[in-house]
Amino acid sequence: MATGRVDLDGNPIKPMTICMIGAGGFIGSHLCEKLMEEAPHKVLAVDVYNDKIKHLLEPSSQWGDRIQFHRLNIKNDSRLEGLIRMADLTINLAAICTPADYNTRPLDTIYSNFIDALPVVKYCSENSKRLIHFSTCEIYGKTIGAFLPKDSPLRQDPNCFLLKEDESPCIFGPIEKQRWSYACAKQLIERLIYAEGAENGLEFTIVRPFNWIGPRMDFIPGIDGPSEGVPRVLACFSNNLLRREPLKLVDGGQSQRTFVYIKDAIEAVLLMIENPARANGHIFNVGNPNNEVTVRQLAEMMTQVYAKVSGESSLDTPTVDVSSKEFYGEGYDDSDKRIPDMTIINRQLGWNPKTSLFDLLESTLTYQHRTYAEAVKKATSKPVAS
């Protein structure tokens, strides 16, 4: 851990206590590692599971005196307010955030992302504690460009698709498209946090991640997650590659996305943590506009990269098209493009992403192959009962 660290304005960084809700997840585990390795802060790690941070919690770990795990569900545990009171800063990462759940578990999705977050905001506001709340790029919904004719020259105008924190409208599909339950819940909690800041002086920062990917993201169905589970796109495609199955492209994989490496994104979060004067009251897009591809192109890149890191040949038929109804069920809808405007985070924190899509996929798929290949091989070789 570096000593004598200073913030962006040259002021010494004082050690703080951070209550991190959702510390055991993908983002939380990487953030815990970053804080332990590079910062002097103490973490009260709150989650139901701790598998992804076990290496930090071992009695032999050098971090033992700076990270404590508290196993609790924020839905119904009275200890939560006490932990927030003990901390200088609360980071809320807790969420149901997998597209497959938006249709099949819309109530759980809304409760997780709005109702369950209400006490966190309330406790921070009432106890004058700073809050960093993780939202989503999904709150933007569809772009203005999505509603223009296919041949409209305006589709080339950046103002029709570049997503800006303080300007872009939030455009969702009709109520019967339950896919938007997640985005609407996230938008409403953002509005509530903003209102708490305006009326009651809550110090807050809102983070809008744009497809953060890397090691430990989601789960591989039947190996370290439910057999019937459907994780997000990176883990879905990884699972197909590990099992030597064609990658399933929903509605032809035409949706466009930008992807940012988790380690780049965590650098941005650390800057927010340690520069409250620059981060408070702001909403930050955190993504990499240079890493834009269609989902089909992502599948093609992952197939190419996985062949390189695994030494296995690609399938003769590497992809197969499926309908969104078949894959996600009735009521699915999708956004067309998600390109983050980076003006605010660059101005306030001087942050820019560094890692190319090819490099981040190589790093991530190397991890996926090393971690899961043998387990998948054993699972797929078991005889099927007649």
Side-chain angles (χ1 to χ4, degrees), residues 53-72:
I53 56 171
K54 270 186 177 175
H55 59 296
L56 301 175
L57 302 170
E58 295 291 341
S60 58
S61 166
Q62 59 182 305
W63 324 117
D65 61 335
R66 288 202 296 117
I67 183 167
Q68 301 172 2
F69 180 67
H70 298 265
R71 190 183 304 276
L72 62 90

Side-chain angles (χ1 to χ4, degrees), residues 25-27 29-30 33 52 212-218 234 261-263 360-368 370-372:
F26 165 56
I27 295 173
S29 67
H30 284 277
E33 281 182 345
K52 294 180 181 180
W212 298 9
I213 60 177
R216 299 198 295 270
M217 184 180 182
D218 282 352
L234 179 109
Y261 192 33
I262 183 66
K263 294 187 184 298
L360 75 85
L361 288 176
E362 184 170 23
S363 172
T364 303
L365 290 175
T366 298
Y367 170 87
Q368 298 287 76
R370 187 176 68 239
T371 306
Y372 297 112

Side-chain angles (χ1 to χ4, degrees), residues 137-138 163 179 210-211 256-258 335 337-340:
C137 62
E138 296 236 358
L163 301 173
R179 181 256 193 282
F210 278 71
N211 299 292
Q256 293 169 272
R257 297 289 182 268
T258 58
S335 55
K337 289 167 74 82
R338 292 192 199 139
I339 303 179

Side-chain angles (χ1 to χ4, degrees), residues 265-300:
I266 291 300
E267 292 275 1
V269 180
L270 186 59
L271 287 168
M272 295 175 207
I273 291 170
E274 296 188 331
N275 292 274
R278 290 173 176 246
N280 282 348
H282 285 285
I283 300 172
F284 292 118
N285 289 339
V286 182
N288 189 338
N290 298 318
N291 286 348
E292 189 200 14
V293 287
T294 65
V295 174
R296 178 177 289 277
Q297 288 170 328
L298 177 70
E300 291 166 353

Side-chain angles (χ1 to χ4, degrees), residues 54-290:
K54 270 186 177 175
H55 59 296
L56 301 175
L57 302 170
E58 295 291 341
S60 58
S61 166
Q62 59 182 305
W63 324 117
D65 61 335
R66 288 202 296 117
I67 183 167
Q68 301 172 2
F69 180 67
H70 298 265
R71 190 183 304 276
L72 62 90
N73 188 326
I74 65 170
K75 284 177 184 290
N76 51 19
D77 200 306
S78 59
R79 292 174 292 170
L80 180 61
E81 184 174 10
L83 292 171
I84 288 174
R85 280 180 176 170
M86 289 168 59
D88 303 294
L89 163 68
T90 294
I91 301 175
N92 189 11
L93 290 152
I96 289 176
C97 53
T98 305
D101 290 322
Y102 307 161
N103 280 12
T104 57
R105 301 169 58 201
L107 285 175
D108 285 343
T109 299
I110 292 167
Y111 270 75
S112 168
N113 291 290
F114 179 66
I115 303 296
D116 296 348
L118 287 175
V120 178
V121 180
K122 177 173 176 279
Y123 296 151
C124 287
S125 186
E126 291 178 349
N127 292 285
S128 299
K129 301 295 184 178
R130 185 176 168 225
L131 171 66
I132 295 179
H133 182 83
F134 273 70
S135 184
T136 173
C137 62
E138 296 236 358
I139 70 115
Y140 292 107
K142 297 172 180 282
T143 68
I144 295 171
F147 297 93
L148 295 171
K150 296 282 187 187
D151 58 352
S152 171
L154 286 174
R155 278 181 171 260
Q156 306 307 313
D157 183 348
N159 290 321
C160 292
F161 60 80
L162 197 61
L163 301 173
K164 301 180 180 182
E165 299 95 325
D166 53 356
E167 293 182 25
S168 296
C170 302
I171 308 171
F172 304 137
I175 299 300
E176 67 180 18
K177 300 293 186 182
Q178 294 198 115
R179 181 256 193 282
W180 300 110
S181 59
Y182 173 65
C184 288
K186 282 292 195 184
Q187 185 199 134
L188 189 53
I189 198 69
E190 277 199 28
R191 292 190 183 278
L192 183 125
I193 290 167
Y194 203 90
E196 280 286 355
E199 291 193 30
N200 297 321
L202 173 67
E203 293 186 350
F204 70 88
T205 302
I206 292 172
V207 186
R208 291 179 181 164
F210 278 71
N211 299 292
W212 298 9
I213 60 177
R216 299 198 295 270
M217 184 180 182
D218 282 352
F219 59 91
I220 299 300
I223 303 299
D224 63 350
S227 297
E228 70 281 3
V230 181
R232 286 168 287 186
V233 65
L234 179 109
C236 263
F237 286 173
S238 294
N239 184 48
N240 296 142
L241 291 166
L242 287 159
R243 296 176 185 276
R244 294 191 62 76
E245 301 168 347
L247 280 59
K248 294 180 179 179
L249 299 178
V250 176
D251 294 338
Q254 295 307 303
S255 295
Q256 293 169 272
R257 297 289 182 268
T258 58
F259 296 91
V260 65
Y261 192 33
I262 183 66
K263 294 187 184 298
D264 288 355
I266 291 300
E267 292 275 1
V269 180
L270 186 59
L271 287 168
M272 295 175 207
I273 291 170
E274 296 188 331
N275 292 274
R278 290 173 176 246
N280 282 348
H282 285 285
I283 300 172
F284 292 118
N285 289 339
V286 182
N288 189 338
N290 298 318

